[in-house]
Protein backbone atom coordinates (compact mmCIF):
# COMPACT_ATOMS: atom_id res chain seq x y z
CA UNK A 1 0.00 0.00 0.00
CA UNK A 2 1.15 3.55 -0.65
CA UNK A 3 3.16 5.05 2.18
CA UNK A 4 4.69 8.41 2.69
CA UNK A 5 7.86 9.16 0.73
CA UNK A 6 9.79 8.78 4.00
CA UNK A 7 10.37 5.02 4.12
CA UNK A 8 10.59 4.73 0.35
CA UNK A 9 13.39 7.18 -0.33
CA UNK A 10 15.89 5.90 2.24
CA UNK A 11 15.42 2.38 0.87
CA UNK A 12 15.95 3.59 -2.68
CA UNK A 13 19.09 5.45 -1.53
CA UNK A 14 20.38 2.30 0.12
CA UNK A 15 19.93 0.44 -3.18
CA UNK A 16 21.47 2.91 -5.65
CA UNK A 17 23.47 5.24 -3.40
CA UNK A 18 22.47 8.66 -2.11
CA UNK A 19 23.91 10.48 -5.14
CA UNK A 20 21.65 8.51 -7.49
CA UNK A 21 18.34 9.52 -5.94
CA UNK A 22 17.53 13.02 -7.13
CA UNK A 23 14.80 14.98 -5.39
CA UNK A 24 15.81 18.66 -5.67
CA UNK A 25 13.44 20.56 -7.96
CA UNK A 26 16.19 21.77 -10.30
CA UNK A 27 17.70 18.27 -10.57
CA UNK A 28 14.47 16.46 -11.38
CA UNK A 29 13.13 19.18 -13.70
CA UNK A 30 14.75 17.89 -16.95
CA UNK A 31 13.24 14.44 -16.30
CA UNK A 32 9.75 15.90 -15.90
CA UNK A 33 9.36 17.54 -19.29
CA UNK A 34 9.34 15.95 -22.73
CA UNK A 35 11.54 16.87 -25.70
CA UNK A 36 8.78 18.90 -27.36
CA UNK A 37 7.90 20.61 -24.06
CA UNK A 38 4.29 19.56 -24.46
CA UNK A 39 4.05 17.59 -21.19
CA UNK A 40 5.15 18.70 -17.76
CA UNK A 41 4.98 16.35 -14.82
CA UNK A 42 6.25 15.94 -11.34
CA UNK A 43 7.99 13.11 -9.46
CA UNK A 44 8.85 11.95 -5.95
CA UNK A 45 12.37 11.20 -7.12
CA UNK A 46 14.50 10.33 -10.10
CA UNK A 47 16.38 7.13 -9.36
CA UNK A 48 19.44 6.14 -11.38
CA UNK A 49 20.29 2.48 -10.86
CA UNK A 50 23.65 1.27 -12.13
CA UNK A 51 22.92 -2.40 -12.82
CA UNK A 52 20.11 -4.80 -13.66
CA UNK A 53 20.11 -5.99 -10.05
CA UNK A 54 19.65 -2.41 -8.86
CA UNK A 55 16.79 -1.83 -11.34
CA UNK A 56 15.15 -4.99 -10.01
CA UNK A 57 15.55 -3.89 -6.37
CA UNK A 58 14.21 -0.42 -7.15
CA UNK A 59 11.15 -1.82 -8.93
CA UNK A 60 10.54 -4.33 -6.13
CA UNK A 61 10.84 -1.61 -3.50
CA UNK A 62 8.43 0.68 -5.39
CA UNK A 63 6.00 -2.22 -5.90
CA UNK A 64 6.06 -2.95 -2.17
CA UNK A 65 5.19 0.68 -1.51
CA UNK A 66 2.51 0.68 -4.24
CA UNK A 67 4.44 3.42 -6.02
CA UNK A 68 4.23 3.56 -9.82
CA UNK A 69 7.42 3.92 -11.85
CA UNK A 70 8.20 5.65 -15.14
CA UNK A 71 11.17 4.26 -17.05
CA UNK A 72 13.16 6.89 -18.90
CA UNK A 73 15.93 6.62 -21.47
CA UNK A 74 17.23 9.63 -23.38
CA UNK A 75 13.88 11.44 -23.03
CA UNK A 76 13.66 12.13 -26.77
CA UNK A 77 10.30 10.38 -27.20
CA UNK A 78 7.67 12.41 -29.04
CA UNK A 79 4.48 11.19 -27.33
CA UNK A 80 5.09 12.06 -23.66
CA UNK A 81 5.64 8.40 -22.72
CA UNK A 82 8.66 9.08 -20.51
CA UNK A 83 7.15 12.09 -18.70
CA UNK A 84 5.65 11.41 -15.25
CA UNK A 85 2.12 12.61 -14.56
CA UNK A 86 1.41 15.84 -12.69
CA UNK A 87 0.34 14.00 -9.52
CA UNK A 88 3.95 13.65 -8.36
CA UNK A 89 3.22 10.09 -7.11
CA UNK A 90 5.58 8.35 -9.49
CA UNK A 91 9.27 7.55 -9.35
CA UNK A 92 11.23 8.09 -12.56
CA UNK A 93 13.77 5.33 -13.20
CA UNK A 94 16.50 6.64 -15.47
CA UNK A 95 18.38 3.87 -17.29
CA UNK A 96 21.29 6.09 -18.27
CA UNK A 97 23.83 4.47 -15.91
CA UNK A 98 23.28 1.02 -17.45
CA UNK A 99 25.70 2.00 -20.17
CA UNK A 100 27.97 -0.98 -20.81
CA UNK A 101 28.45 -2.85 -24.04
CA UNK A 102 28.59 -6.28 -22.43
CA UNK A 103 29.85 -8.31 -25.39
CA UNK A 104 30.32 -8.36 -29.14
CA UNK A 105 30.17 -11.79 -30.79
CA UNK A 106 31.41 -11.13 -34.32
CA UNK A 107 30.98 -14.74 -35.44
CA UNK A 108 27.34 -14.69 -34.27
CA UNK A 109 26.96 -11.15 -35.65
CA UNK A 110 25.41 -9.93 -32.40
CA UNK A 111 26.20 -7.54 -29.58
CA UNK A 112 24.86 -7.49 -26.05
CA UNK A 113 24.27 -4.00 -24.71
CA UNK A 114 22.69 -2.48 -21.65
CA UNK A 115 19.63 -0.29 -22.00
CA UNK A 116 21.42 2.97 -21.23
CA UNK A 117 23.93 2.90 -24.07
CA UNK A 118 23.20 5.84 -26.40
CA UNK A 119 22.21 4.68 -29.88
CA UNK A 120 25.23 6.46 -31.43
CA UNK A 121 27.54 4.59 -29.04
CA UNK A 122 25.93 1.27 -30.05
CA UNK A 123 26.61 2.14 -33.69
CA UNK A 124 30.23 3.13 -32.86
CA UNK A 125 30.92 -0.05 -30.91
CA UNK A 126 29.60 -2.15 -33.80
CA UNK A 127 31.71 -0.17 -36.29
CA UNK A 128 34.85 -0.70 -34.18
CA UNK A 129 34.22 -4.44 -34.50
CA UNK A 130 33.94 -3.99 -38.29
CA UNK A 131 30.17 -4.48 -38.25
CA UNK A 132 27.03 -2.37 -38.66
CA UNK A 133 24.15 -1.73 -36.28
CA UNK A 134 21.73 -0.15 -38.76
CA UNK A 135 19.17 1.60 -36.55
CA UNK A 136 19.62 5.29 -37.29
CA UNK A 137 17.56 8.35 -36.44
CA UNK A 138 18.09 12.05 -35.93
CA UNK A 139 18.05 11.77 -32.13
CA UNK A 140 20.74 9.05 -32.09
CA UNK A 141 23.21 11.15 -30.07
CA UNK A 142 20.70 11.49 -27.21
CA UNK A 143 18.29 8.55 -27.29
CA UNK A 144 19.28 5.33 -25.48
CA UNK A 145 19.00 1.87 -26.97
CA UNK A 146 16.53 0.79 -24.26
CA UNK A 147 14.26 3.67 -25.29
CA UNK A 148 14.64 2.71 -28.94
CA UNK A 149 13.53 -0.83 -28.17
CA UNK A 150 10.76 0.28 -25.81
CA UNK A 151 9.34 2.47 -28.60
CA UNK A 152 10.19 0.06 -31.45
CA UNK A 153 11.90 3.00 -33.16
CA UNK A 154 11.98 3.18 -36.94
CA UNK A 155 14.31 5.73 -38.48
CA UNK A 156 16.00 5.99 -41.82
CA UNK A 157 17.03 2.40 -42.66
CA UNK A 158 13.79 0.50 -42.02
CA UNK A 159 13.35 -0.10 -45.74
CA UNK A 160 16.29 -2.48 -45.67
CA UNK A 161 16.76 -3.60 -42.05
CA UNK A 162 13.33 -3.28 -40.46
CA UNK A 163 12.21 -1.53 -37.26
CA UNK A 164 14.00 -1.84 -33.91
CA UNK A 165 12.03 -4.98 -33.09
CA UNK A 166 13.49 -6.70 -36.15
CA UNK A 167 17.00 -6.09 -34.84
CA UNK A 168 16.65 -7.87 -31.50
CA UNK A 169 17.46 -11.51 -30.79
CA UNK A 170 17.52 -11.39 -27.00
CA UNK A 171 16.22 -9.33 -24.12
CA UNK A 172 16.64 -8.88 -20.39
CA UNK A 173 13.65 -7.33 -18.64
CA UNK A 174 12.77 -6.37 -15.08
CA UNK A 175 9.15 -7.33 -14.49
CA UNK A 176 6.57 -5.37 -12.49
CA UNK A 177 7.25 -7.35 -9.30
CA UNK A 178 11.02 -6.87 -9.56
CA UNK A 179 11.88 -10.31 -10.94
CA UNK A 180 14.33 -10.45 -13.86
CA UNK A 181 13.49 -12.29 -17.08
CA UNK A 182 16.82 -12.99 -18.74
CA UNK A 183 16.81 -14.26 -22.32
CA UNK A 184 20.11 -13.11 -23.79
CA UNK A 185 21.09 -16.24 -25.71
CA UNK A 186 21.31 -14.44 -29.02
CA UNK A 187 19.57 -17.17 -31.00
CA UNK A 188 18.31 -16.45 -34.48
CA UNK A 189 16.09 -19.50 -34.30
CA UNK A 190 14.11 -20.43 -31.21
CA UNK A 191 10.60 -21.73 -31.72
CA UNK A 192 9.98 -22.78 -28.14
CA UNK A 193 6.59 -21.21 -27.62
CA UNK A 194 5.51 -17.58 -27.55
CA UNK A 195 8.08 -14.98 -28.58
CA UNK A 196 7.93 -13.07 -25.30
CA UNK A 197 10.48 -10.42 -26.24
CA UNK A 198 8.08 -9.05 -28.84
CA UNK A 199 5.66 -8.13 -26.04
CA UNK A 200 8.19 -5.81 -24.43
CA UNK A 201 9.51 -4.31 -27.67
CA UNK A 202 7.33 -1.29 -28.42
CA UNK A 203 5.45 -1.50 -25.10
CA UNK A 204 6.77 1.91 -23.96
CA UNK A 205 7.64 0.82 -20.46
CA UNK A 206 4.13 -0.41 -19.63
CA UNK A 207 4.92 -4.14 -19.42
CA UNK A 208 8.50 -4.31 -18.11
CA UNK A 209 11.77 -2.39 -17.95
CA UNK A 210 14.28 -3.42 -20.60
CA UNK A 211 17.74 -3.59 -19.02
CA UNK A 212 19.75 -5.27 -21.79
CA UNK A 213 19.39 -6.69 -25.28
CA UNK A 214 21.18 -8.80 -27.83
CA UNK A 215 21.19 -6.91 -31.13
CA UNK A 216 21.73 -8.18 -34.67
CA UNK A 217 24.75 -6.86 -36.53
CA UNK A 218 25.31 -6.70 -40.27
CA UNK A 219 28.28 -6.33 -42.62
CA UNK A 220 29.58 -2.76 -42.81
CA UNK A 221 28.85 -1.19 -46.19
CA UNK A 222 32.09 -0.83 -48.16
CA UNK A 223 30.48 1.05 -51.07
CA UNK A 224 27.81 3.68 -50.48
CA UNK A 225 25.89 6.17 -52.58
CA UNK A 226 23.79 9.10 -51.41
CA UNK A 227 21.64 11.00 -53.90
CA UNK A 228 19.31 14.00 -53.78
CA UNK A 229 16.60 14.24 -56.41
CA UNK A 230 14.23 17.13 -57.17
CA UNK A 231 10.71 15.87 -57.85
CA UNK A 232 7.55 17.44 -59.27
CA UNK A 233 4.96 15.69 -57.11
CA UNK A 234 4.44 12.86 -54.65
CA UNK A 235 3.07 10.43 -57.25
CA UNK A 236 6.39 10.82 -59.12
CA UNK A 237 8.30 10.15 -55.89
CA UNK A 238 6.41 6.86 -55.42
CA UNK A 239 7.28 5.91 -58.99
CA UNK A 240 10.90 6.92 -58.38
CA UNK A 241 10.98 4.70 -55.29
CA UNK A 242 9.80 1.77 -57.43
CA UNK A 243 12.46 2.52 -60.06
CA UNK A 244 15.24 2.68 -57.44
CA UNK A 245 14.07 -0.55 -55.88
CA UNK A 246 14.07 -2.27 -59.26
CA UNK A 247 17.56 -0.96 -60.06
CA UNK A 248 19.21 -1.50 -56.68
CA UNK A 249 17.30 -4.33 -55.05
CA UNK A 250 17.92 -4.68 -51.33
CA UNK A 251 20.94 -2.38 -51.55
CA UNK A 252 18.41 0.45 -51.28
CA UNK A 253 18.78 1.35 -47.60
CA UNK A 254 16.70 4.50 -47.31
CA UNK A 255 14.32 6.60 -49.36
CA UNK A 256 13.27 9.80 -47.63
CA UNK A 257 10.77 12.31 -48.97
CA UNK A 258 11.22 15.97 -48.04
CA UNK A 259 9.00 18.86 -49.12
CA UNK A 260 10.51 22.14 -50.33
CA UNK A 261 8.95 23.85 -47.28
CA UNK A 262 10.93 21.55 -44.96
CA UNK A 263 14.18 22.17 -46.83
CA UNK A 264 13.63 25.95 -46.68
CA UNK A 265 12.82 25.79 -42.98
CA UNK A 266 15.89 23.67 -42.13
CA UNK A 267 18.18 25.95 -44.17
CA UNK A 268 16.68 29.08 -42.59
CA UNK A 269 17.07 27.78 -39.03
CA UNK A 270 20.52 26.25 -39.63
CA UNK A 271 22.36 28.54 -42.07
CA UNK A 272 25.24 26.07 -42.58
CA UNK A 273 22.78 23.86 -44.50
CA UNK A 274 22.07 24.46 -48.17
CA UNK A 275 19.93 22.84 -50.85
CA UNK A 276 22.10 21.61 -53.73
CA UNK A 277 19.13 21.58 -56.16
CA UNK A 278 16.94 24.58 -55.31
CA UNK A 279 13.59 25.14 -56.97
CA UNK A 280 11.77 21.80 -56.81
CA UNK A 281 8.52 21.19 -54.89
CA UNK A 282 9.70 17.86 -53.41
CA UNK A 283 12.97 16.07 -52.84
CA UNK A 284 13.99 12.46 -52.35
CA UNK A 285 17.06 11.60 -50.31
CA UNK A 286 18.23 8.20 -51.51
CA UNK A 287 20.75 6.01 -49.71
CA UNK A 288 22.16 2.80 -51.17
CA UNK A 289 24.86 0.60 -49.66
CA UNK A 290 26.74 -2.50 -50.66
CA UNK A 291 28.87 -4.68 -48.41
CA UNK A 292 31.21 -5.42 -51.32
CA UNK A 293 34.20 -3.14 -51.85
CA UNK A 294 34.47 -1.92 -55.43
CA UNK A 295 30.82 -2.72 -56.14
CA UNK A 296 29.37 -1.13 -59.30
CA UNK A 297 26.73 0.56 -57.11
CA UNK A 298 27.70 4.15 -57.97
CA UNK A 299 27.45 3.57 -61.70
CA UNK A 300 24.15 1.76 -61.25
CA UNK A 301 22.53 4.52 -59.19
CA UNK A 302 23.82 7.12 -61.65
CA UNK A 303 22.23 5.25 -64.58
CA UNK A 304 19.00 4.65 -62.68
CA UNK A 305 18.69 8.34 -61.81
CA UNK A 306 19.49 9.44 -65.37
CA UNK A 307 16.71 7.16 -66.63
CA UNK A 308 14.36 8.48 -63.96
CA UNK A 309 15.04 12.06 -65.06
CA UNK A 310 14.53 11.07 -68.72
CA UNK A 311 11.18 9.47 -67.81
CA UNK A 312 10.06 12.44 -65.72
CA UNK A 313 10.09 10.58 -62.36
CA UNK A 314 12.64 13.13 -61.17
CA UNK A 315 13.27 16.64 -62.46
CA UNK A 316 16.96 16.62 -61.58
CA UNK A 317 19.33 14.65 -59.35
CA UNK A 318 22.78 14.87 -57.84
CA UNK A 319 24.96 12.18 -56.27
CA UNK A 320 27.28 13.01 -53.37
CA UNK A 321 30.91 12.85 -54.47
CA UNK A 322 32.36 12.49 -50.99
CA UNK A 323 31.33 11.38 -47.52
CA UNK A 324 31.25 15.07 -46.53
CA UNK A 325 28.72 15.78 -49.30
CA UNK A 326 26.66 12.73 -48.28
CA UNK A 327 26.67 13.93 -44.66
CA UNK A 328 25.57 17.40 -45.82
CA UNK A 329 22.57 15.90 -47.64
CA UNK A 330 21.59 13.84 -44.61
CA UNK A 331 22.06 16.90 -42.40
CA UNK A 332 19.23 18.68 -44.25
CA UNK A 333 16.88 15.79 -43.52
CA UNK A 334 17.99 15.30 -39.93
CA UNK A 335 17.71 18.96 -38.95
CA UNK A 336 14.04 19.22 -39.91
CA UNK A 337 12.58 18.18 -36.49
CA UNK A 338 14.86 20.60 -34.66
CA UNK A 339 14.15 23.37 -37.18
CA UNK A 340 10.44 22.88 -36.54
CA UNK A 341 10.95 22.96 -32.81
CA UNK A 342 12.90 26.23 -33.11
CA UNK A 343 10.22 27.73 -35.27
CA UNK A 344 7.58 27.14 -32.63
CA UNK A 345 4.74 24.81 -31.74
CA UNK A 346 3.36 22.64 -34.53
CA UNK A 347 1.02 19.69 -34.89
CA UNK A 348 2.81 16.44 -35.62
CA UNK A 349 1.22 13.45 -37.29
CA UNK A 350 3.44 10.38 -37.55
CA UNK A 351 1.32 8.41 -39.98
CA UNK A 352 1.72 5.46 -42.30
CA UNK A 353 -0.33 4.21 -45.21
CA UNK A 354 0.55 1.69 -47.90
CA UNK A 355 3.12 3.44 -50.13
CA UNK A 356 0.81 3.15 -53.13
CA UNK A 357 -1.86 5.20 -51.32
CA UNK A 358 0.33 8.06 -50.18
CA UNK A 359 -0.52 10.38 -53.10
CA UNK A 360 -4.28 9.95 -52.64
CA UNK A 361 -3.97 10.40 -48.88
CA UNK A 362 -1.99 13.62 -49.32
CA UNK A 363 -4.46 15.03 -51.86
CA UNK A 364 -7.46 14.31 -49.65
CA UNK A 365 -5.80 15.51 -46.46
CA UNK A 366 -4.76 18.77 -48.07
CA UNK A 367 -8.24 19.43 -49.43
CA UNK A 368 -9.87 18.72 -46.07
CA UNK A 369 -7.35 20.72 -44.01
CA UNK A 370 -7.35 23.69 -46.39
CA UNK A 371 -11.11 23.82 -45.96
CA UNK A 372 -10.98 23.50 -42.17
CA UNK A 373 -7.96 25.74 -41.52
CA UNK A 374 -7.51 28.16 -44.44
CA UNK A 375 -3.87 29.13 -44.86
CA UNK A 376 -2.55 26.20 -42.77
CA UNK A 377 1.13 25.49 -43.52
CA UNK A 378 2.36 21.98 -44.31
CA UNK A 379 5.72 20.52 -43.33
CA UNK A 380 5.71 17.04 -44.80
CA UNK A 381 8.72 14.74 -44.75
CA UNK A 382 9.59 11.23 -43.77
CA UNK A 383 10.35 7.68 -44.64
CA UNK A 384 8.51 7.31 -47.95
CA UNK A 385 10.08 3.89 -48.50
CA UNK A 386 8.16 2.66 -45.43
CA UNK A 387 4.95 4.53 -46.24
CA UNK A 388 5.63 6.65 -43.12
CA UNK A 389 5.28 10.41 -43.30
CA UNK A 390 5.66 13.08 -40.66
CA UNK A 391 2.66 15.12 -41.67
CA UNK A 392 3.16 18.26 -39.64
CA UNK A 393 1.09 21.42 -39.64
CA UNK A 394 1.89 24.98 -38.60
CA UNK A 395 -0.40 27.91 -37.95
CA UNK A 396 -1.62 30.05 -40.84
CA UNK A 397 0.00 33.50 -41.10
CA UNK A 398 -1.63 35.88 -38.64
CA UNK A 399 -2.88 33.13 -36.29
CA UNK A 400 -0.98 32.67 -33.04
CA UNK A 401 0.61 29.21 -32.79
CA UNK A 402 -1.12 28.60 -29.43
CA UNK A 403 -4.52 29.34 -30.96
CA UNK A 404 -3.77 26.91 -33.76
CA UNK A 405 -2.44 24.20 -31.42
CA UNK A 406 -5.72 24.40 -29.51
CA UNK A 407 -7.31 23.01 -32.68
CA UNK A 408 -5.23 19.83 -32.50
CA UNK A 409 -8.15 17.48 -31.77
CA UNK A 410 -10.07 18.75 -34.80
CA UNK A 411 -7.03 18.50 -37.09
CA UNK A 412 -6.12 15.05 -35.75
CA UNK A 413 -9.61 13.81 -36.47
CA UNK A 414 -9.38 14.97 -40.08
CA UNK A 415 -5.91 13.49 -40.62
CA UNK A 416 -6.42 10.22 -38.79
CA UNK A 417 -9.84 9.55 -40.31
CA UNK A 418 -8.27 9.89 -43.76
CA UNK A 419 -5.35 7.69 -42.69
CA UNK A 420 -7.84 5.06 -41.51
CA UNK A 421 -9.77 5.38 -44.77
CA UNK A 422 -6.54 4.47 -46.61
CA UNK A 423 -5.87 1.50 -44.32
CA UNK A 424 -3.06 3.23 -42.44
CA UNK A 425 -1.82 3.82 -38.90
CA UNK A 426 -2.13 6.97 -36.79
CA UNK A 427 1.24 6.20 -35.18
CA UNK A 428 3.84 4.68 -37.45
CA UNK A 429 6.97 4.86 -35.31
CA UNK A 430 6.62 7.26 -32.39
CA UNK A 431 4.25 5.15 -30.32
CA UNK A 432 1.29 6.17 -28.17
CA UNK A 433 2.68 7.51 -24.88
CA UNK A 434 0.14 9.77 -23.21
CA UNK A 435 -0.51 11.71 -26.40
CA UNK A 436 -2.38 9.20 -28.51
CA UNK A 437 -4.32 7.09 -26.01
CA UNK A 438 -7.68 8.45 -27.12
CA UNK A 439 -6.72 7.85 -30.76
CA UNK A 440 -5.87 4.27 -29.88
CA UNK A 441 -9.34 3.83 -28.43
CA UNK A 442 -10.89 5.34 -31.54
CA UNK A 443 -8.90 3.70 -34.30
CA UNK A 444 -7.85 0.28 -32.95
CA UNK A 445 -10.41 -2.49 -33.25
CA UNK A 446 -12.02 -3.16 -29.85
CA UNK A 447 -10.75 -6.72 -29.84
CA UNK A 448 -7.15 -5.49 -30.11
CA UNK A 449 -7.60 -3.05 -27.24
CA UNK A 450 -9.13 -5.84 -25.17
CA UNK A 451 -6.20 -8.18 -25.87
CA UNK A 452 -3.75 -5.39 -25.00
CA UNK A 453 -5.56 -4.80 -21.70
CA UNK A 454 -5.42 -8.49 -20.86
CA UNK A 455 -1.68 -8.61 -21.54
CA UNK A 456 -1.17 -5.51 -19.40
CA UNK A 457 -3.17 -7.04 -16.57
CA UNK A 458 -1.26 -10.34 -16.80
CA UNK A 459 2.16 -8.67 -16.60
CA UNK A 460 1.38 -5.67 -14.41
CA UNK A 461 -1.77 -6.45 -12.41
CA UNK A 462 -1.42 -3.44 -10.11
CA UNK A 463 -0.69 -1.04 -12.97
CA UNK A 464 2.58 0.20 -11.53
CA UNK A 465 4.59 0.30 -14.75
CA UNK A 466 4.17 3.63 -16.54
CA UNK A 467 0.44 3.85 -15.77
CA UNK A 468 -1.72 6.07 -17.93
CA UNK A 469 0.45 5.46 -20.97
CA UNK A 470 -0.46 3.58 -24.16
CA UNK A 471 -3.76 2.05 -23.05
CA UNK A 472 -6.87 4.20 -23.22
C1 LIG B 1 15.01 14.95 -33.39
C2 LIG B 1 14.27 13.67 -33.20
C3 LIG B 1 14.17 12.77 -34.26
C4 LIG B 1 13.50 11.55 -34.08
N1 LIG B 1 13.44 10.69 -35.13
C5 LIG B 1 12.83 9.50 -34.97
C6 LIG B 1 12.77 8.56 -36.04
O1 LIG B 1 13.25 8.79 -37.15
N2 LIG B 1 12.17 7.38 -35.81
C7 LIG B 1 11.63 7.07 -34.59
O2 LIG B 1 11.10 5.97 -34.43
N3 LIG B 1 11.65 7.94 -33.57
C8 LIG B 1 12.24 9.14 -33.73
N4 LIG B 1 12.26 10.04 -32.68
C9 LIG B 1 11.59 9.70 -31.41
C10 LIG B 1 12.55 9.15 -30.34
O3 LIG B 1 13.87 9.52 -30.55
C11 LIG B 1 12.50 7.67 -30.32
O4 LIG B 1 11.20 7.31 -29.93
C12 LIG B 1 13.50 7.00 -29.35
O5 LIG B 1 13.45 5.62 -29.65
C13 LIG B 1 13.22 7.22 -27.88
O6 LIG B 1 14.36 6.80 -27.12
P1 LIG B 1 14.68 7.46 -25.71
O7 LIG B 1 15.84 6.75 -25.12
O8 LIG B 1 14.82 8.93 -25.81
O9 LIG B 1 13.36 7.08 -24.91
P2 LIG B 1 12.50 7.97 -23.89
O10 LIG B 1 11.96 9.16 -24.57
O11 LIG B 1 13.25 8.19 -22.65
O12 LIG B 1 11.30 6.94 -23.60
C14 LIG B 1 10.38 6.60 -24.58
C15 LIG B 1 9.39 5.57 -24.02
O13 LIG B 1 10.06 4.35 -23.73
C16 LIG B 1 10.00 4.05 -22.34
N5 LIG B 1 11.32 3.54 -21.99
C17 LIG B 1 12.52 4.17 -22.12
N6 LIG B 1 13.51 3.35 -21.77
C18 LIG B 1 12.95 2.19 -21.41
C19 LIG B 1 13.45 0.94 -20.95
N7 LIG B 1 14.76 0.73 -20.81
N8 LIG B 1 12.58 -0.06 -20.68
C20 LIG B 1 11.25 0.14 -20.83
N9 LIG B 1 10.72 1.30 -21.23
C21 LIG B 1 11.55 2.30 -21.53
C22 LIG B 1 9.60 5.32 -21.66
O14 LIG B 1 8.88 5.06 -20.47
C23 LIG B 1 8.74 5.98 -22.72
O15 LIG B 1 7.45 5.43 -22.69
C24 LIG B 1 12.91 11.25 -32.84
C25 LIG B 1 13.01 12.17 -31.79
C26 LIG B 1 13.68 13.35 -31.96
C27 LIG B 1 13.77 14.29 -30.80
Amino acid sequence: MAESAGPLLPTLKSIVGEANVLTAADEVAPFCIDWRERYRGSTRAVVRPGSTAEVASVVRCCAEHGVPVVPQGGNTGLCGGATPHESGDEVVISLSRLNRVRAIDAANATMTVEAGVPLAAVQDAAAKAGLLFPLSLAAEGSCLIGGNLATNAGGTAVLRYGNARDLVVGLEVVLADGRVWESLKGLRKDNTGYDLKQLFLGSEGTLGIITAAVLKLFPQPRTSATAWAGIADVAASVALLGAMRAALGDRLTGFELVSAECVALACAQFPTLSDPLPGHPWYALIQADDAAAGSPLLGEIERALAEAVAEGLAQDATIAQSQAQANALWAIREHIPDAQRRRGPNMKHDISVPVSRIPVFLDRARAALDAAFPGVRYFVFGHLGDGNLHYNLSSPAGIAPAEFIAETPRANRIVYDLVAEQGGSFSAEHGIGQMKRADLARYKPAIEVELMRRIKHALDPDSLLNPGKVLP
Side-chain angles (χ1 to χ4, degrees):
M1 237 17 269
E3 293 178 21
S4 72
L8 175 73
L9 293 184
T11 314
L12 293 176
K13 285 177 185 169
S14 72
I15 296 168
V16 298
E18 184 118 17
N20 291 310
V21 178
L22 313 179
T23 50
D26 59 331
E27 288 179 333
V28 302
F31 298 85
C32 294
I33 184 163
D34 70 310
W35 188 84
R36 293 175 67 199
E37 303 185 0
R38 294 291 282 276
Y39 297 97
R40 281 185 167 73
S42 170
T43 182
R44 291 168 189 254
V46 175
V47 182
R48 299 186 300 183
S51 65
T52 301
E54 286 186 9
V55 176
S57 299
V58 167
V59 170
R60 191 175 311 113
C61 170
C62 289
E64 281 164 8
H65 284 78
V67 170
V69 299
V70 181
Q72 193 173 104
N75 201 15
T76 67
L78 298 175
C79 295
T83 311
H85 297 299
E86 284 171 8
S87 65
D89 280 350
E90 296 164 317
V91 163
V92 173
I93 301 182
S94 164
L95 279 303
S96 62
R97 286 182 63 233
L98 270 74
N99 57 6
R100 287 184 316 133
V101 174
R102 289 191 191 163
I104 297 187
D105 182 345
N108 197 43
T110 53
M111 69 195 291
T112 306
V113 297
E114 294 185 343
V117 182
L119 173 55
V122 175
Q123 296 164 345
D124 286 350
K128 282 204 185 92
L131 292 163
L132 172 78
F133 181 63
L135 185 67
S136 174
L137 46 103
E140 62 200 18
S142 326
C143 58
L144 308 184
I145 189 69
N148 300 142
L149 303 185
T151 56
N152 183 29
T156 52
V158 173
L159 187 58
R160 178 164 180 179
Y161 298 102
N163 293 294
R165 72 164 75 249
D166 300 307
L167 303 173
V168 179
V169 287
L171 220 51
E172 181 188 83
V173 178
V174 171
L175 304 175
D177 58 7
R179 283 181 301 159
V180 180
W181 172 59
E182 196 260 83
S183 178
L184 294 173
K185 291 197 217 80
L187 300 177
R188 276 156 209 270
K189 288 191 158 184
D190 181 10
N191 273 353
T192 52
Y194 306 138
D195 187 356
L196 294 177
K197 67 178 177 305
Q198 294 300 344
L199 281 180
F200 299 101
L201 297 166
S203 69
E204 301 181 52
T206 61
L207 300 180
I209 301 186
I210 296 168
T211 48
V214 187
L215 306 173
K216 282 188 203 168
L217 300 177
F218 296 83
Q220 272 282 359
R222 310 258 281 285
T223 310
S224 291
T226 307
W228 182 251
I231 300 170
D233 57 40
V234 176
S237 75
V238 172
L240 179 63
L241 168 66
M244 289 295 122
R245 224 190 225 136
L248 304 170
D250 66 4
R251 291 170 301 168
L252 185 61
T253 306
F255 192 105
E256 301 283 306
L257 181 72
V258 182
S259 73
E261 291 81 5
C262 290
V263 177
L265 177 67
C267 295
Q269 294 290 338
F270 297 94
T272 55
L273 302 175
S274 70
D275 177 1
L277 293 178
H280 302 279
W282 294 91
Y283 295 90
L285 175 56
I286 303 163
Q287 178 71 34
D289 301 286
D290 195 326
S295 124
L297 180 68
L298 270 169
E300 290 174 50
I301 198 169
E302 216 165 63
R303 268 195 303 282
L305 283 171
E307 276 171 30
V309 171
E311 288 167 16
L313 308 187
Q315 296 177 317
D316 200 356
T318 178
I319 299 175
Q321 298 300 313
S322 64
Q323 191 54 48
Q325 283 185 7
N327 293 346
L329 292 177
W330 273 104
I332 300 173
R333 162 65 183 86
E334 305 218 310
H335 279 79
I336 297 168
D338 238 339
Q340 280 207 287
R341 183 164 78 150
R342 286 188 182 196
R343 187 179 178 277
N346 60 85
M347 289 182 204
K348 288 192 190 297
H349 302 102
D350 164 40
I351 58 101
S352 65
V353 298
V355 175
S356 50
R357 300 194 194 160
I358 282 188
V360 78
F361 162 75
L362 287 177
D363 283 349
R364 290 187 188 172
R366 197 169 188 119
L369 290 162
D370 280 347
F373 307 103
V376 61
R377 282 175 284 190
Y378 299 86
F379 292 91
V380 179
F381 65 100
H383 318 295
L384 184 81
D386 316 324
N388 172 199
L389 291 180
H390 301 307
Y391 190 77
N392 300 344
L393 307 174
S394 282
S395 52
I399 303 227
E403 197 182 318
F404 180 61
I405 293 298
E407 294 278 16
T408 299
R410 194 155 68 97
N412 286 359
R413 176 65 71 88
I414 292 171
V415 174
Y416 296 152
D417 279 0
L418 289 167
V419 164
E421 184 189 283
Q422 296 304 321
S425 166
F426 64 92
S427 183
E429 60 175 9
H430 293 162
I432 303 297
Q434 49 185 307
M435 179 187 279
K436 296 188 176 175
R437 292 164 66 215
D439 302 312
L440 189 125
R442 180 173 170 81
Y443 295 103
K444 273 247 181 218
I447 189 167
E448 282 185 39
V449 178
E450 186 202 320
L451 290 174
M452 286 171 67
R453 277 192 203 288
R454 286 202 205 174
I455 291 169
K456 171 75 174 169
H457 187 71
L459 292 180
D460 180 20
D462 298 321
S463 200
L464 293 175
L465 290 174
N466 217 1
K469 310 286 171 55
V470 180
L471 283 165

